[in-house]
Amino acid sequence: MTQEVAFRGGVVSRFIEHPALRRFAWGVAGVAILAALWFAAGLWLQANPTTQSFAAFGLIPTLQAFPELFGAGKIQAAAAASGYRLGMGLLIAICIGVPIGILMGRVKWFQEYSNAAFQFLRMVSPLAWMPLAVLVFATWNGSIIFLIAIASVWPVMFSTAAGLAKVDPSWFKVARNLGATPLQMLTRVIMPAIAFDVFSGIRLALGVAWIVLVPAEYLGVTSGLGYAIEDARETLSYNHLTALVLTIGVIGYVLDSIIVILINRYSWQRGHA
Amino acid sequence: MAIRGTNIKIEGLTHRYGSRSTVTFNRVDLESPQGEALAIIGRSGCGKSTLLHIVAGLLKASEGSIKLDGTPIQGPSPKWVMMFQAPHLFPWMTVKQNVGVGLTFGNWDKSTIDSRVDEAIQLVELQDFAQSNVQDLSGGQQQRVALARSLVMEPELLLLDEPFSALDAFTRSSLQHDVRAIAKRLGFNIILVTHDIDEAVIMADRAVIMAGSPGNIVRELDVDLPDPRDRTDPRVQTLRAKLMDDFQQAANYQKPEAVSLVD
Ligand SMILES: Nc1ncnc2c1ncn2[C@@H]1O[C@H](COP(=O)(O)OP(=O)(O)O)[C@@H](O)[C@H]1O
Ligand SMILES: [Mg+2]
């Protein structure tokens, strides 16, 4: 009996020794604790007469909502609509932020002239642009994409500039010495040198964009995750509401993990990976 | 791999950093025949690096010309490649990728790049590290990668700007011998800039001394010694003493001229 226990303990501890497995085990444990708390809160809501009508916020009703939402295609449609806005907004932010960031990091006078203006614009809350966006853009889609772009452009721009500041000027001398054209200087030296910082900026941008997206979708539009939450609230489908909140969290986590993989893939500085 | 050297002719070369700066050097004339290893010795600040950057096409001269086999140098080219004091490798690339980077800039086809890179890596004896990240190499190994990166271009002229001064004595000594041996075997020219008289005696066929402000070539000495050269060889010692003597004289000789420049 004691022997068997010792043997099992050995297997478990060896399993836990592997760093990746251990990290995974801790992650599972953390999520499990969160789920348990949620489950307990659900029971408490259910048990209390005054809060009984909110019992659908609990873990079990929420999980039960997923088959309904998937079956009706609601989650897929909402995620697709939100994903499109997020993707377009981020794409615009990258297309504007990376070149301007390179300019800021490489051209001293441009950096000096533009820094104050950009720092100022960066401090304007993305949601403060909302009324303006609604006036300027004919469609709701247009204004939401604009809001996401303007929220995410700053981290991309400043990370790119910071990455360029770390580039060793000798690399340009070496590349020129070996016959690099200006285009090759960009694609073979600058881009790989700053890819890590650009992706780190995109990671920050994604975080902000994901935060801006949902409140932006509370207004006007009739599609997307934000709209679906608002809709669930109005129709008092509380379990749908929590299921959608959970979906937002999961999608955000997955997108973030993908960018972390890219960051690690392009990180060449020792001690970063 | 066989590389032809080139006849170098520098005429009336004058340089200043910006129109308001003082003249770095004034009307420098210098010639070096095909296949020669030429050392330029001088105190730091006398303009050696500037001169070498102009020869590499990385800086423009204010006046004068540099011709290789009669053709003036107008910018960087794979035919004249510079190796710097620090290796300046691209840290996101392997040894092999670093060595081949110049060939990829020239859009060579992959099989040519592969075979030339392998050959260059063998020349600097880094076969075992071909796939390593350059950040995992020692300083000496990194400078060997930089050497291979220059050699793979098959230059007619290799420009060396105090290339081993950051290395420890043993590594420096072995690289000095290796670079000279490779240059002699393949036949390309070397212009070596250094403030190390030993280095000049070990590596060069001829040494010139640059001194003064603005700088100029003030002395010249043939280093007519058999290979491989050994520091303890009495002939090396004699030449070293002679060069040191010339160097001191050049430095002293400059002082009155520097004063006369002021009035
Ligand atoms: N980029 C630069 N701008 C202005 N002056 C410079 C620059 N680089 C070097 N100098 C000056 O030119 C002179 C020669 O420098 P350099 O060629 O580096 O000498 P060396 O290589 O012999 O030590 C020095 O007085 C130095 O201060
Ligand atoms: Mg120098």
Side-chain angles (χ1 to χ4, degrees):
Chain A
M1 176 69 194
T2 41
Q3 239 177 354
E4 201 191 322
V5 169
F7 172 68
R8 269 207 237 135
V11 169
V12 169
S13 67
R14 230 175 301 147
F15 173 83
I16 291 296
E17 262 164 35
H18 197 286
L21 284 177
R22 187 168 50 204
R23 236 178 297 134
F24 180 73
W26 282 119
V28 169
V31 170
I33 291 171
L34 210 60
L37 287 173
W38 187 359
F39 179 73
L43 289 184
W44 184 79
L45 287 174
Q46 177 79 54
N48 250 316
T50 48
T51 56
Q52 213 163 31
S53 53
F54 298 114
F57 279 126
L59 176 64
I60 302 298
T62 298
L63 292 179
Q64 282 165 346
F66 277 103
E68 293 168 30
L69 285 167
F70 268 107
K74 273 190 175 170
I75 286 194
Q76 298 91 312
S82 292
Y84 169 76
R85 292 171 192 137
L86 183 84
M88 288 304 288
L90 276 179
L91 193 68
I92 293 168
I94 292 167
C95 291
I96 295 173
V98 171
I100 295 184
I102 290 177
L103 219 56
M104 284 170 78
R106 193 92 171 91
V107 184
K108 203 163 167 43
W109 65 261
F110 183 80
Q111 146 89 26
E112 276 164 10
Y113 280 105
S114 63
N115 193 45
F118 284 143
Q119 293 288 357
F120 165 77
L121 285 173
R122 181 174 78 103
M123 291 316 289
V124 177
S125 159
L127 294 176
W129 293 103
M130 212 182 263
L132 194 78
V134 172
L135 281 177
V136 169
F137 291 89
T139 63
W140 283 105
N141 249 346
S143 19
I144 293 175
I145 290 171
F146 167 81
L147 287 179
I148 290 171
I150 205 158
S152 16
V153 74
W154 312 116
V156 174
M157 190 186 289
F158 288 111
S159 289
T160 304
L164 221 72
K166 283 185 286 179
V167 168
D168 182 349
S170 306
W171 291 337
F172 299 123
K173 195 160 76 173
V174 165
R176 210 152 69 81
N177 182 37
L178 294 171
T181 62
L183 181 66
Q184 287 170 331
M185 203 78 92
L186 182 70
T187 57
R188 305 293 314 283
V189 181
I190 295 180
M191 291 309 238
I194 65 171
F196 168 84
D197 298 273
V198 172
F199 283 118
S200 301
I202 293 175
R203 187 184 181 194
L204 293 175
L206 176 76
V208 184
W210 201 230
I211 289 169
V212 169
L213 176 71
V214 172
E217 282 177 343
Y218 285 169
L219 301 167
V221 285
T222 52
S223 63
L225 292 163
Y227 164 77
I229 287 181
E230 193 60 8
D231 189 50
R233 189 184 62 82
E234 278 172 7
T235 56
L236 305 181
S237 340
Y238 294 140
N239 61 338
H240 285 197
L241 199 156
T242 40
L244 287 161
V245 169
L246 198 61
T247 305
I248 288 173
V250 169
I251 294 179
Y253 181 82
V254 168
L255 290 177
D256 188 66
S257 305
I258 292 172
I259 296 185
V260 169
I261 290 169
L262 285 173
I263 289 174
N264 290 334
R265 159 77 182 74
Y266 284 100
S267 124
W268 50 264
Q269 275 174 305
R270 286 295 144 91
H272 258 304
Chain B
M1 201 192 290
I3 311 172
R4 218 173 50 85
T6 179
N7 279 295
I8 305 161
K9 194 167 169 128
I10 299 176
E11 274 179 312
L13 204 68
T14 299
H15 179 267
R16 53 170 78 217
Y17 280 103
S19 52
R20 259 171 281 152
S21 311
T22 53
V23 176
T24 322
F25 46 76
N26 197 13
R27 308 201 59 75
V28 170
D29 295 313
L30 192 59
E31 281 187 53
S32 180
Q34 183 175 328
E36 185 182 60
L38 174 70
I40 302 175
I41 315 174
R43 295 229 161 122
S44 69
C46 73
K48 306 182 300 295
S49 294
T50 309
L51 178 67
L52 217 57
H53 276 76
I54 295 173
V55 178
L58 293 169
L59 273 179
K60 289 252 175 289
S62 310
E63 277 167 52
S65 69
I66 302 166
K67 289 182 183 143
L68 300 192
D69 286 338
T71 314
I73 284 181
Q74 246 129 30
S77 154
K79 287 186 181 170
W80 43 90
V81 175
M82 176 127 146
M83 207 180 136
F84 304 93
Q85 187 168 352
H88 301 309
L89 303 176
F90 297 123
W92 55 89
M93 294 183 185
T94 62
V95 167
K96 223 176 147 159
Q97 290 169 323
N98 266 286
V99 171
V101 75
L103 294 176
T104 63
F105 289 152
N107 295 320
W108 291 77
D109 63 278
K110 199 176 170 312
S111 62
T112 312
I113 294 179
D114 276 346
S115 67
R116 274 169 69 169
V117 165
D118 286 344
E119 206 174 343
I121 287 179
Q122 260 165 27
L123 273 176
V124 300
E125 295 167 11
L126 283 176
Q127 302 89 307
D128 296 345
F129 298 92
Q131 299 301 337
S132 305
N133 182 292
V134 289
Q135 293 176 97
D136 297 329
L137 303 187
S138 71
Q141 289 169 328
Q142 291 193 8
Q143 201 55 306
R144 281 179 190 273
V145 176
L147 176 63
R149 178 178 66 185
S150 307
L151 293 177
V152 83
M153 307 305 287
E154 304 188 351
E156 295 172 357
L157 166 60
L158 181 64
L159 302 158
L160 304 170
D161 189 359
E162 301 184 5
F164 314 125
S165 54
L167 303 177
D168 66 272
F170 292 111
T171 313
R172 189 189 315 143
S173 168
S174 76
L175 268 165
Q176 285 165 350
H177 283 102
D178 289 356
V179 170
R180 178 173 168 85
I182 292 170
K184 288 296 152 192
R185 180 139 56 94
L186 302 182
F188 58 83
N189 284 58
I190 284 182
I191 299 181
L192 162 75
V193 151
T194 182
H195 56 236
D196 179 353
I197 289 172
D198 281 335
E199 186 161 88
V201 177
I202 297 293
M203 291 187 70
D205 300 320
R206 188 161 61 102
V208 297
I209 297 173
M210 196 168 168
S213 170
N216 214 319
I217 308 294
V218 296
R219 286 279 198 291
E220 182 185 322
L221 186 74
D222 277 323
V223 186
D224 190 9
L225 295 170
D227 285 298
R229 294 166 179 183
D230 184 344
R231 240 166 264 272
T232 55
D233 185 332
R235 286 170 298 182
V236 170
Q237 301 271 345
T238 313
L239 250 169
R240 183 184 177 285
K242 171 102 178 63
L243 203 52
M244 184 62 105
D245 209 39
D246 280 3
F247 192 73
Q248 300 290 0
Q249 276 183 29
N252 293 333
Y253 151 89
Q254 280 310 311
K255 273 180 190 151
E257 201 180 60
V259 171
S260 74
L261 268 174
V262 176
D263 25 333

